[in-house]
Amino acid sequence: MTELPLFIQQQFVDVGNSHQLHVAEYGCEKGPALLYLHGGPGAGCCRSELSLFVSTGFHIYFVDQRGAGRSLPSGCLLHNTVMDLVADIETLRCTFDVEQWYLAGGSFGATLAWLYSGLYPSRVIAQVLWGMFIPSQLGINWLYGPNGASQFFNTQYARFIDVLEPKFTTALPQADTHSPAIAIDHLMNAYQVVLNHHNPQVVENAVQHWLMWEYELAQPSQFMGEVAQPLSCAKIGHHYVQQHFFDVYSQFKTLASAIEATTVLIQGEYDWVCPQHILTAFIEECGHQSIDYQHVSAGYHALTDQAVFQAVTQAILRLDNAASKFS
């Protein structure tokens, strides 16, 4: 059996506004620094994700973002925005006295890496990103509206929107034709109620509905495993959608031209969460020259998909080889 990178240490880092980020370090203590950015928002790091870094010489930082995983306070939504999370990355770099580092992240973690590498281009040597979420209204509509992924997963979407009152459910297709955001706002308002309900059973059902929708899309018909903090994951994810990812898309787009790091973007052909047509349209519009775009035939969104997992691990191994030559 292949051994995972060795554990070095763990600690909490105070990033302000009462947020304490849990940081676990693995791998080679004297190796080049690599920050792993988990998805979600709100998912937290899983130890199994260390399998991405087998046979590498990195000093790996596994960080649970604000309110996620083992970070404290669990599920806290105050001072929890996209740009707060990006600022935390720079705080961590300074805290650990890292001059430059490598980044690896998937889904929403890739979104954060893109923003950080654009804001702090001299601090990122290279990065491997997969299934990157584009935080545009189009990306939000695709994932949560009735005219996106829902058209291909009707039964699953029906379960997801079961929290809506019947009057909204019956009106969704018509309402969404002209203004998708309106229908999504109704859905998010409904989830706001049930995720904060006084009845624990109502809350538990809402959490299951929220998490299962994305899991069904990440790799259809495959069990995705347990979530360490399901309530905080659902609440943080809902918070970001309800706030339209804090309207960060314009900055996300503008910063593309500032990225200096060699960037590998890995995209599964059947990624229903962050579909390739949205990503490729974004890349074509940005016209970024230092992107190595890798299409994974028949690949899905989740790392449990072997094709995507192999593509990511191979890209990270190439990153490790380059880092060895660099050092």
Side-chain angles (χ1 to χ4, degrees), residues 146-186:
N147 292 328
S150 59
Q151 297 178 96
F152 303 92
F153 296 85
N154 306 87
T155 302
Q156 295 87 339
Y157 191 69
R159 287 198 297 267
F160 180 58
I161 66 172
D162 191 49
V163 297
L164 283 171
E165 296 178 35
K167 64 180 180 180
F168 288 131
T169 306
T170 55
L172 267 174
Q174 295 78 17
D176 208 62
T177 301
H178 299 101
S179 184
I182 293 176
I184 294 171
D185 286 345
H186 285 318

Side-chain angles (χ1 to χ4, degrees), residues 38-57:
H38 67 73
C45 292
C46 296
R47 193 171 185 276
S48 61
E49 291 161 344
L50 284 170
S51 58
L52 293 169
F53 306 99
V54 170
S55 302
T56 67

Side-chain angles (χ1 to χ4, degrees), residues 186-260:
H186 285 318
L187 182 57
M188 293 305 113
N189 290 340
Y191 264 104
Q192 176 74 22
V193 173
V194 292
L195 286 172
N196 295 280
H197 203 274
H198 62 84
N199 186 331
Q201 187 59 56
V202 172
V203 175
E204 183 179 344
N205 289 339
V207 169
Q208 290 178 354
H209 279 71
W210 181 272
L211 297 179
M212 284 309 300
W213 167 239
E214 187 169 325
Y215 287 177
E216 290 277 6
L217 302 185
Q219 189 172 5
S221 303
Q222 171 137 343
F223 178 66
M224 292 297 296
E226 297 295 325
V227 178
Q229 301 288 345
L231 177 58
S232 63
C233 183
K235 280 193 168 185
I236 293 171
H238 166 265
H239 169 65
Y240 274 71
V241 179
Q242 190 171 46
Q243 300 300 324
H244 302 275
F245 284 83
F246 301 91
D247 300 314
V248 77
Y249 178 64
S250 60
Q251 192 168 8
F252 183 86
K253 183 178 174 182
T254 302
L255 286 171
S257 61
I259 297 173
E260 298 175 1

Side-chain angles (χ1 to χ4, degrees), residues 23-138:
V23 182
E25 299 171 51
Y26 300 91
C28 303
E29 192 166 3
K30 300 297 183 182
L34 181 145
L35 175 67
Y36 177 72
L37 294 164
H38 67 73
C45 292
C46 296
R47 193 171 185 276
S48 61
E49 291 161 344
L50 284 170
S51 58
L52 293 169
F53 306 99
V54 170
S55 302
T56 67
F58 290 116
H59 182 155
I60 306 158
Y61 294 85
F62 262 37
V63 180
D64 291 332
Q65 293 151 25
R66 294 190 179 205
R70 287 176 282 183
S71 289
L72 301 172
S74 179
C76 181
L77 306 181
L78 293 175
H79 304 287
N80 195 334
T81 72
V82 175
M83 297 314 295
D84 282 328
L85 302 188
V86 173
D88 288 346
I89 297 174
E90 181 63 3
T91 298
L92 291 168
R93 186 193 65 78
C94 296
T95 298
F96 293 109
D97 195 25
V98 173
E99 183 67 23
Q100 291 180 302
W101 51 6
Y102 296 84
L103 303 182
S107 195
F108 180 67
T111 309
L112 296 177
W114 183 275
L115 286 163
Y116 177 79
S117 60
L119 280 170
Y120 302 94
S122 65
R123 300 304 184 182
V124 183
I125 302 168
Q127 53 190 345
V128 174
L129 314 177
W130 57 96
M132 183 167 73
F133 175 69
I134 307 299
S136 62
Q137 194 58 54
L138 181 63

